[in-house]
């Protein structure tokens, strides 16, 4: 059966490509999805990209992933730096978790340097723009082979 990867995106990422292009670039979440689908096809995987501005919704999708997904790629956005609840939900997921940040969080304000999600993630990509998602998908293909 085809394995599905959940690509979860946190608060404000619906604005990707529409605001602050100097930090996050001009491409949108639709572009992210198209790039990830291309890599998923190469590996015989399916992917399902979702975005929510609500922490509880992200947690519900992580719970859903326990049955529906083989791996999770997550850009938790600001929840990265604040949410023990997202980390706890990811700890209840058994497959690989990869964390993606579009910007280089380590070059930004000190409060962006800590990630609760990194305590759970197998790997972290930051500062590669939206290409980071496709790179994470490629790594996911390798991890699930
Ligand atoms: O670099 C990333 O991917 C971040 O996860 C983005 C978050 C930020 O809080 C993290 O520290 C790093 C912010 C997402 C907001 O996305 C926007 C995109 C375009 C315009 C406005 C906001």
């Amino acid at each position: 059966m085809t394995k599905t990867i959940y690509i979860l995106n946190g608060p404000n990422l619906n604005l990707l490509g529409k605001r602050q292009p100097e930090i996050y670039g001009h491409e949108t979440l639709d572009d992210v999805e198209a790039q990830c689908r291309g890599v998923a096809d190469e590996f015989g995987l399916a992917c399902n990209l979702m975005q929510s501005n609500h922490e509880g919704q992200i947690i519900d999708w992580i719970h859903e992933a326990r049955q529906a997904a083989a791996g999770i790629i997550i850009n938790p956005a600001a929840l990265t730096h604040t949410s023990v609840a997202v980390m706890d939900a990811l700890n209840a997921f058994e497959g690989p978790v990869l964390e993606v940040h579009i910007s280089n969080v380590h070059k930004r304000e000190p409060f962006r340097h800590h990630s609760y999600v990194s305590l759970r993630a197998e790997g972290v990509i930051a500062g590669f723009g939206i290409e980071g998602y496709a790179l994470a998908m490629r790594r996911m293909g390798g991890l699930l082979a």
Side-chain angles (χ1 to χ4, degrees):
M1 218 175 73
T2 305
K3 292 175 180 167
T4 298
I5 309 307
Y6 271 18
I7 306 169
L8 301 179
N9 293 277
N12 299 307
L13 282 165
N14 54 309
L15 298 177
L16 195 61
K18 297 167 186 162
R19 296 274 187 284
Q20 294 183 269
E22 66 287 357
I23 303 177
Y24 299 112
H26 290 279
E27 289 155 303
T28 66
L29 276 186
D30 286 345
D31 298 318
V32 171
E33 187 166 31
Q35 290 188 13
C36 287
R37 187 140 293 135
V39 180
D41 287 349
E42 274 182 50
F43 284 90
L45 297 169
C47 62
N48 189 1
L49 184 143
M50 291 167 267
Q51 187 277 330
S52 177
N53 294 326
H54 305 281
E55 183 174 15
Q57 178 65 80
I58 301 283
I59 292 166
D60 286 345
W61 283 332
I62 295 169
H63 291 178
E64 182 184 293
R66 285 158 45 79
Q67 269 74 48
I72 294 175
I73 294 171
I74 184 164
N75 182 348
L79 298 173
T80 308
H81 320 297
T82 62
S83 182
V84 174
V86 168
M87 178 189 69
D88 284 345
L90 289 168
N91 279 332
F93 176 76
E94 286 181 4
V97 174
L98 300 177
E99 178 180 351
V100 173
H101 298 286
I102 297 162
S103 65
N104 181 358
V105 284
H106 301 290
K107 208 177 166 186
R108 300 181 66 188
E109 305 95 322
F111 68 84
R112 297 187 201 274
H113 297 177
H114 177 263
S115 165
Y116 286 103
V117 170
S118 295
L119 294 168
R120 166 64 181 87
E122 270 65 38
V124 183
I125 294 175
F128 285 66
I130 70 158
E131 196 183 339
Y133 289 88
L135 292 169
M137 182 59 82
R138 193 166 289 286
R139 175 67 178 153
M140 192 60 86
L143 288 172
L144 295 174

